[in-house]
Short mmCIF file of all heavy atoms in Angstrom, two decimals:
data_model
loop_
_atom_site.label_atom_id
_atom_site.label_comp_id
_atom_site.label_asym_id
_atom_site.label_seq_id
_atom_site.Cartn_x
_atom_site.Cartn_y
_atom_site.Cartn_z
N GLY A 101 169.81 124.14 109.67
CA GLY A 101 170.89 125.13 109.68
C GLY A 101 170.40 126.54 109.42
O GLY A 101 171.16 127.39 108.95
N TYR A 102 169.18 126.80 109.72
CA TYR A 102 168.59 128.13 109.53
C TYR A 102 167.46 128.27 110.54
O TYR A 102 166.97 127.28 111.07
CB TYR A 102 168.03 128.29 108.11
CG TYR A 102 167.01 127.24 107.78
CD1 TYR A 102 165.66 127.43 108.07
CD2 TYR A 102 167.40 126.02 107.23
CE1 TYR A 102 164.73 126.44 107.81
CE2 TYR A 102 166.48 125.03 106.98
CZ TYR A 102 165.15 125.24 107.27
OH TYR A 102 164.24 124.25 107.03
N GLN A 103 167.08 129.47 110.83
CA GLN A 103 165.88 129.68 111.63
C GLN A 103 164.97 130.62 110.84
O GLN A 103 164.08 130.17 110.14
CB GLN A 103 166.22 130.17 113.02
CG GLN A 103 166.78 129.03 113.86
CD GLN A 103 167.03 129.42 115.30
OE1 GLN A 103 166.41 130.30 115.85
NE2 GLN A 103 167.98 128.72 115.90
N CYS A 104 165.25 131.91 110.87
CA CYS A 104 164.39 132.81 110.09
C CYS A 104 164.69 132.68 108.60
O CYS A 104 163.85 132.97 107.77
CB CYS A 104 164.54 134.25 110.56
SG CYS A 104 166.02 135.10 109.96
N GLY A 105 165.91 132.25 108.25
CA GLY A 105 166.28 132.04 106.86
C GLY A 105 166.89 133.24 106.16
O GLY A 105 167.34 133.11 105.03
N TYR A 106 166.94 134.38 106.81
CA TYR A 106 167.44 135.58 106.15
C TYR A 106 168.91 135.44 105.75
O TYR A 106 169.29 135.80 104.64
CB TYR A 106 167.24 136.82 107.04
CG TYR A 106 167.39 138.10 106.27
CD1 TYR A 106 166.32 138.61 105.54
CD2 TYR A 106 168.60 138.77 106.23
CE1 TYR A 106 166.45 139.78 104.81
CE2 TYR A 106 168.74 139.94 105.51
CZ TYR A 106 167.66 140.44 104.80
OH TYR A 106 167.80 141.59 104.08
N CYS A 107 169.72 134.90 106.63
CA CYS A 107 171.15 134.77 106.34
C CYS A 107 171.47 133.53 105.53
O CYS A 107 172.60 133.38 105.04
CB CYS A 107 171.96 134.77 107.63
SG CYS A 107 171.82 133.23 108.58
N THR A 108 170.51 132.62 105.39
CA THR A 108 170.77 131.32 104.80
C THR A 108 171.37 131.37 103.38
O THR A 108 172.33 130.64 103.11
CB THR A 108 169.50 130.44 104.84
OG1 THR A 108 169.04 130.37 106.19
CG2 THR A 108 169.77 129.05 104.32
N PRO A 109 170.88 132.20 102.48
CA PRO A 109 171.50 132.23 101.14
C PRO A 109 172.99 132.56 101.19
O PRO A 109 173.80 131.90 100.53
CB PRO A 109 170.71 133.31 100.40
CG PRO A 109 169.38 133.33 101.08
CD PRO A 109 169.68 133.06 102.52
N GLY A 110 173.36 133.55 101.99
CA GLY A 110 174.77 133.90 102.13
C GLY A 110 175.56 132.81 102.82
O GLY A 110 176.72 132.53 102.47
N GLN A 111 174.96 132.18 103.83
CA GLN A 111 175.62 131.07 104.53
C GLN A 111 175.89 129.93 103.55
O GLN A 111 176.98 129.34 103.56
CB GLN A 111 174.74 130.56 105.68
CG GLN A 111 174.49 131.55 106.78
CD GLN A 111 175.57 131.59 107.85
OE1 GLN A 111 176.56 130.89 107.78
NE2 GLN A 111 175.37 132.43 108.84
N ILE A 112 174.91 129.60 102.73
CA ILE A 112 175.07 128.50 101.78
C ILE A 112 176.14 128.82 100.74
O ILE A 112 176.99 127.97 100.44
CB ILE A 112 173.71 128.13 101.13
CG1 ILE A 112 172.83 127.44 102.19
CG2 ILE A 112 173.90 127.26 99.89
CD1 ILE A 112 171.40 127.20 101.75
N CYS A 113 176.13 130.03 100.20
CA CYS A 113 177.16 130.40 99.22
C CYS A 113 178.55 130.34 99.87
O CYS A 113 179.50 129.86 99.26
CB CYS A 113 176.87 131.77 98.63
SG CYS A 113 175.52 131.74 97.41
N SER A 114 178.67 130.82 101.11
CA SER A 114 179.95 130.73 101.81
C SER A 114 180.35 129.29 102.05
O SER A 114 181.52 128.92 101.88
CB SER A 114 179.90 131.48 103.14
OG SER A 114 180.05 132.85 102.94
N ALA A 115 179.40 128.46 102.44
CA ALA A 115 179.69 127.05 102.69
C ALA A 115 180.22 126.36 101.43
O ALA A 115 181.14 125.54 101.51
CB ALA A 115 178.46 126.33 103.22
N LEU A 116 179.65 126.68 100.29
CA LEU A 116 180.14 126.12 99.02
C LEU A 116 181.61 126.47 98.83
O LEU A 116 182.42 125.60 98.47
CB LEU A 116 179.33 126.66 97.85
CG LEU A 116 177.88 126.19 97.76
CD1 LEU A 116 177.11 127.05 96.77
CD2 LEU A 116 177.83 124.73 97.36
N ALA A 117 181.96 127.73 99.08
CA ALA A 117 183.35 128.17 98.93
C ALA A 117 184.25 127.53 99.98
O ALA A 117 185.37 127.13 99.68
CB ALA A 117 183.43 129.68 98.99
N VAL A 118 183.75 127.42 101.21
CA VAL A 118 184.52 126.80 102.29
C VAL A 118 184.91 125.38 101.91
O VAL A 118 186.06 124.97 102.06
CB VAL A 118 183.73 126.81 103.62
CG1 VAL A 118 184.28 125.80 104.62
CG2 VAL A 118 183.72 128.20 104.22
N ILE A 119 183.97 124.62 101.41
CA ILE A 119 184.23 123.23 101.04
C ILE A 119 185.26 123.16 99.92
O ILE A 119 186.18 122.33 99.95
CB ILE A 119 182.91 122.52 100.67
CG1 ILE A 119 182.04 122.38 101.94
CG2 ILE A 119 183.16 121.18 100.02
CD1 ILE A 119 180.61 121.98 101.68
N GLU A 120 185.14 124.05 98.93
CA GLU A 120 186.12 124.06 97.83
C GLU A 120 187.50 124.50 98.31
O GLU A 120 188.51 123.91 97.93
CB GLU A 120 185.64 125.00 96.72
CG GLU A 120 184.44 124.48 95.96
CD GLU A 120 184.73 123.18 95.23
OE1 GLU A 120 185.82 123.05 94.62
OE2 GLU A 120 183.87 122.29 95.27
N GLU A 121 187.55 125.54 99.15
CA GLU A 121 188.83 126.02 99.68
C GLU A 121 189.52 124.93 100.49
O GLU A 121 190.72 124.71 100.36
CB GLU A 121 188.62 127.26 100.54
CG GLU A 121 188.17 128.48 99.77
CD GLU A 121 187.58 129.57 100.65
OE1 GLU A 121 187.61 129.45 101.90
OE2 GLU A 121 187.08 130.56 100.09
N HIS A 122 188.75 124.26 101.32
CA HIS A 122 189.31 123.19 102.14
C HIS A 122 189.83 122.06 101.26
O HIS A 122 190.95 121.57 101.46
CB HIS A 122 188.27 122.66 103.13
CG HIS A 122 188.76 121.49 103.89
ND1 HIS A 122 188.44 120.20 103.55
CD2 HIS A 122 189.60 121.39 104.95
CE1 HIS A 122 189.04 119.37 104.37
NE2 HIS A 122 189.76 120.06 105.23
N ALA A 123 189.03 121.64 100.29
CA ALA A 123 189.44 120.55 99.40
C ALA A 123 190.72 120.90 98.63
O ALA A 123 191.54 120.02 98.33
CB ALA A 123 188.31 120.21 98.43
N ALA A 124 190.90 122.19 98.34
CA ALA A 124 192.10 122.64 97.62
C ALA A 124 193.31 122.75 98.55
O ALA A 124 194.41 123.05 98.10
CB ALA A 124 191.82 123.99 96.95
N GLY A 125 193.09 122.54 99.87
CA GLY A 125 194.19 122.58 100.81
C GLY A 125 194.51 123.94 101.38
O GLY A 125 195.56 124.12 102.01
N TRP A 126 193.62 124.91 101.16
CA TRP A 126 193.89 126.24 101.70
C TRP A 126 193.79 126.22 103.22
O TRP A 126 192.81 125.75 103.78
CB TRP A 126 192.88 127.24 101.16
CG TRP A 126 192.93 127.48 99.70
CD1 TRP A 126 193.63 126.79 98.75
CD2 TRP A 126 192.20 128.49 99.00
NE1 TRP A 126 193.39 127.31 97.51
CE2 TRP A 126 192.51 128.36 97.63
CE3 TRP A 126 191.32 129.48 99.39
CZ2 TRP A 126 191.98 129.19 96.66
CZ3 TRP A 126 190.79 130.30 98.43
CH2 TRP A 126 191.13 130.16 97.07
N PRO A 127 194.79 126.76 103.91
CA PRO A 127 194.70 126.83 105.37
C PRO A 127 193.80 127.98 105.80
O PRO A 127 193.48 128.87 105.02
CB PRO A 127 196.14 127.09 105.79
CG PRO A 127 196.74 127.81 104.63
CD PRO A 127 196.05 127.26 103.40
N SER A 128 193.40 127.93 107.06
CA SER A 128 192.65 129.05 107.65
C SER A 128 193.42 129.48 108.89
O SER A 128 194.44 128.89 109.25
CB SER A 128 191.24 128.60 108.04
OG SER A 128 191.26 127.85 109.24
N ALA A 129 192.90 130.48 109.58
CA ALA A 129 193.53 130.92 110.82
C ALA A 129 193.45 129.84 111.90
O ALA A 129 194.20 129.88 112.87
CB ALA A 129 192.87 132.21 111.31
N ALA A 130 192.56 128.87 111.74
CA ALA A 130 192.42 127.79 112.72
C ALA A 130 193.27 126.57 112.37
O ALA A 130 193.36 125.63 113.16
CB ALA A 130 190.95 127.37 112.82
N THR A 131 193.91 126.58 111.21
CA THR A 131 194.72 125.44 110.79
C THR A 131 195.97 125.37 111.64
O THR A 131 196.73 126.33 111.71
CB THR A 131 195.09 125.55 109.30
OG1 THR A 131 193.89 125.68 108.53
CG2 THR A 131 195.88 124.35 108.82
N GLU A 132 196.17 124.22 112.29
CA GLU A 132 197.30 124.08 113.21
C GLU A 132 198.63 123.97 112.48
O GLU A 132 199.62 124.54 112.92
CB GLU A 132 197.08 122.87 114.12
CG GLU A 132 195.95 123.10 115.10
CD GLU A 132 195.77 121.94 116.06
OE1 GLU A 132 196.71 121.16 116.26
OE2 GLU A 132 194.65 121.84 116.59
N ASP A 133 198.71 123.24 111.39
CA ASP A 133 199.96 123.05 110.67
C ASP A 133 199.74 123.47 109.22
O ASP A 133 199.07 122.77 108.46
CB ASP A 133 200.40 121.59 110.75
CG ASP A 133 201.82 121.37 110.22
OD1 ASP A 133 202.37 122.29 109.57
OD2 ASP A 133 202.36 120.28 110.44
N VAL A 134 200.29 124.60 108.85
CA VAL A 134 200.06 125.15 107.52
C VAL A 134 201.13 124.75 106.50
O VAL A 134 201.08 125.17 105.35
CB VAL A 134 199.92 126.70 107.56
CG1 VAL A 134 198.73 127.11 108.39
CG2 VAL A 134 201.19 127.35 108.08
N ARG A 135 202.09 123.95 106.93
CA ARG A 135 203.13 123.52 105.99
C ARG A 135 202.52 122.65 104.90
O ARG A 135 201.65 121.81 105.19
CB ARG A 135 204.22 122.73 106.73
CG ARG A 135 204.99 123.57 107.73
CD ARG A 135 205.95 122.72 108.55
NE ARG A 135 205.18 121.69 109.26
CZ ARG A 135 205.58 120.44 109.40
NH1 ARG A 135 206.73 120.03 108.91
NH2 ARG A 135 204.83 119.57 110.05
N PRO A 136 202.92 122.83 103.65
CA PRO A 136 202.36 122.03 102.55
C PRO A 136 202.47 120.53 102.79
O PRO A 136 201.56 119.77 102.46
CB PRO A 136 203.16 122.47 101.33
CG PRO A 136 203.67 123.82 101.68
CD PRO A 136 203.88 123.82 103.17
N GLU A 137 203.57 120.08 103.37
CA GLU A 137 203.75 118.65 103.60
C GLU A 137 202.79 118.10 104.65
O GLU A 137 202.62 116.88 104.76
CB GLU A 137 205.21 118.31 103.96
CG GLU A 137 205.72 118.98 105.21
CD GLU A 137 206.41 120.32 104.97
OE1 GLU A 137 206.24 120.92 103.89
OE2 GLU A 137 207.10 120.78 105.88
N ALA A 138 202.14 118.97 105.41
CA ALA A 138 201.16 118.52 106.40
C ALA A 138 199.87 118.04 105.73
O ALA A 138 199.08 117.33 106.34
CB ALA A 138 200.84 119.63 107.39
N GLY A 139 199.66 118.44 104.49
CA GLY A 139 198.47 118.01 103.76
C GLY A 139 197.23 118.82 104.14
O GLY A 139 197.31 119.81 104.87
N VAL A 140 196.12 118.37 103.65
CA VAL A 140 194.85 119.05 103.90
C VAL A 140 194.44 118.81 105.36
O VAL A 140 194.39 117.66 105.79
CB VAL A 140 193.75 118.52 102.94
CG1 VAL A 140 192.41 119.17 103.25
CG2 VAL A 140 194.15 118.78 101.49
N PRO A 141 194.16 119.88 106.09
CA PRO A 141 193.76 119.69 107.49
C PRO A 141 192.37 119.07 107.56
O PRO A 141 191.58 119.18 106.63
CB PRO A 141 193.74 121.11 108.05
CG PRO A 141 193.44 121.97 106.87
CD PRO A 141 194.12 121.28 105.71
N ALA A 142 192.10 118.41 108.68
CA ALA A 142 190.74 117.89 108.89
C ALA A 142 189.79 119.08 108.95
O ALA A 142 190.14 120.15 109.46
CB ALA A 142 190.68 117.10 110.18
#
Side-chain angles (χ1 to χ4, degrees):
Y102 57 89
Q103 285 185 27
C104 79
Y106 196 83
C107 73
T108 305
Q111 296 275 1
I112 288 172
C113 285
S114 280
L116 291 166
V118 162
I119 292 168
E120 290 297 318
E121 291 163 7
H122 175 261
W126 295 9
S128 78
T131 304
E132 291 183 22
D133 189 348
V134 297
R135 295 173 301 140
E137 60 269 16
V140 177

